[in-house]
Amino acid sequence: MDSIDYKILNILQKNSRQKASAISPEVNLSVSAVIERIRKMEREGILQKYTIKVDHKRLGYDLTAFVGVTLELPIYYDNFIQVTREMSSVLFCNYVTGEFDFILKVMATATEELEKIHHEIMKIKGVLSIKTFFVLSNCKDDVQIPEDSFLNFDH
């Protein structure tokens, strides 16, 4: 990847529906060259998916919580990961260092639903304990690579 690829990536991170014809003048390349660079990033697995950002509260998901999970033994890790991947209420499952083995991000429409999610997690074989942190407000929700990472980069 070179600095032009990073510029294209930055533009697509802001709006993945941006057309190559709009990107072209910003990176001083032809439309076909931009398309080829995007396809190359897709082939190389750099661009993995084009998606949307949804306002979960407007869809009725008023509760967001992070759940720290501690497992009894490492032999339960694979099963835990498999089960949480199948739980639609779990948005993220990260294996972490520190006090917990995993941190989950879950969404619920009400406290009753969150309680059900809690019970589901506790029923997973090997779960020793969980600790829940309720999100009071969302101060930053950015999934983009920081723009300054792209500056002066040329390989």
Side-chain angles (χ1 to χ4, degrees), residues 39 44 60 62 117 132:
R39 286 184 181 148
E44 292 177 354
D62 291 327
I117 295 166
T132 302

Side-chain angles (χ1 to χ4, degrees), residues 63-74:
L63 289 174
T64 302
F66 288 92
V67 181
V69 179
T70 304
L71 299 182
E72 290 178 52
L73 298 167

Side-chain angles (χ1 to χ4, degrees), residues 48-67:
Q48 297 180 353
K49 172 167 122 172
Y50 297 89
T51 187
I52 59 171
K53 186 171 182 177
V54 175
D55 185 333
H56 292 98
K57 285 194 180 244
R58 290 183 185 226
L59 295 174
Y61 292 94
D62 291 327
L63 289 174
T64 302
F66 288 92
V67 181

Side-chain angles (χ1 to χ4, degrees), residues 30-150:
S30 68
V31 173
S32 60
V34 170
I35 291 169
E36 181 50 41
R37 283 175 177 258
I38 291 170
R39 286 184 181 148
K40 182 180 179 201
M41 285 189 273
E42 290 170 340
R43 283 192 307 272
E44 292 177 354
I46 295 163
L47 286 172
Q48 297 180 353
K49 172 167 122 172
Y50 297 89
T51 187
I52 59 171
K53 186 171 182 177
V54 175
D55 185 333
H56 292 98
K57 285 194 180 244
R58 290 183 185 226
L59 295 174
Y61 292 94
D62 291 327
L63 289 174
T64 302
F66 288 92
V67 181
V69 179
T70 304
L71 299 182
E72 290 178 52
L73 298 167
I75 61 169
Y76 297 114
Y77 289 4
D78 291 339
N79 179 65
F80 181 82
I81 292 167
Q82 180 182 343
V83 172
T84 55
R85 282 182 178 158
E86 295 169 6
M87 295 175 68
S88 61
S89 55
V90 175
L91 301 180
F92 297 101
C93 175
N94 299 102
Y95 178 49
V96 297
T97 62
E99 183 180 346
F100 307 107
D101 295 311
F102 292 92
I103 300 286
L104 310 178
K105 181 179 181 182
V106 300
M107 302 209 69
T109 56
T111 54
E112 296 82 12
E113 183 181 357
L114 186 59
E115 184 179 3
K116 288 178 187 175
I117 295 166
H118 244 250
H119 290 301
E120 282 181 61
I121 294 169
M122 284 301 296
K123 286 182 192 175
I124 299 172
K125 187 174 182 175
V127 171
L128 180 64
S129 65
I130 64 174
K131 186 172 184 177
T132 302
F133 304 87
F134 289 93
V135 174
L136 300 176
S137 66
N138 186 348
C139 305
K140 183 177 181 179
D141 187 12
D142 201 352
V143 295
Q144 298 176 347
I145 296 171
E147 229 175 286
D148 55 354
S149 300
F150 302 133

